[in-house]
Amino acid sequence: MNTGEQGANNEKLNLEESCFRIIAFSGEAFAKLMEALKLCRNDDYAGAEKTIKEASDLLNQAHNVHTELLIKEANGEEIGYSVLLTHAQDNMMNTILAKTFAEEMMEMYKALKGRG
């Protein structure tokens, strides 16, 4: 294997690692958001808020990895198309949307139960 092929393979591995980090952070954040909704259902709003904060921290980590990729591409590095990257971005965006809904649903739980 020549040096050019090794470099291309290393770049591919780095992209895959970044994708899996985005997927992992986003997936864990999504699980936290579902846990927060269950806590709301059981009137544990303090626990739900704490869990949503944990989800936000995980989403920030996913977003930071994504931003690193954007910066590389903006600096002229070839990122290239990847179904895995598309999947990672899709997971992250769905989790961001889920966070928005979870926050709104928590407020609805509070209002419906006279706690808001």
Side-chain angles (χ1 to χ4, degrees):
M1 182 180 298
N2 67 35
T3 305
E5 288 174 349
Q6 287 175 332
N9 284 338
N10 286 340
E11 288 174 18
K12 183 178 179 187
L13 288 175
N14 288 338
L15 177 61
E16 288 176 356
E17 178 185 338
S18 294
C19 291
F20 284 120
R21 289 176 63 209
I22 293 168
I23 292 166
F25 288 135
S26 297
E28 190 172 347
F30 190 89
K32 293 277 184 190
L33 293 168
M34 295 303 101
E35 179 184 340
L37 288 175
K38 288 177 185 174
L39 292 167
C40 283
R41 213 170 40 224
N42 294 319
D43 296 329
D44 183 359
Y45 301 109
E49 288 176 8
K50 178 181 177 277
T51 305
I52 288 174
K53 168 73 170 92
E54 292 169 357
S56 292
D57 292 343
L58 289 160
L59 268 172
N60 284 338
Q61 291 180 65
H63 190 264
N64 289 341
V65 175
H66 188 253
T67 300
E68 289 171 12
L69 292 173
L70 293 173
I71 290 169
K72 285 180 180 182
E73 188 168 68
N75 287 333
E77 288 186 44
E78 182 69 31
I79 299 298
Y81 174 76
S82 165
V83 173
L84 187 59
L85 180 56
T86 302
H87 178 65
Q89 291 170 310
D90 187 45
N91 276 302
M92 184 177 70
M93 294 307 299
N94 283 330
T95 303
I96 290 169
L97 183 60
K99 179 178 174 272
T100 301
F101 286 137
E103 290 169 336
E104 287 300 315
M105 289 176 77
M106 184 167 74
E107 294 305 316
M108 288 190 314
Y109 272 118
K110 287 179 184 178
L112 288 170
K113 294 186 178 188
R115 313 257 169 133

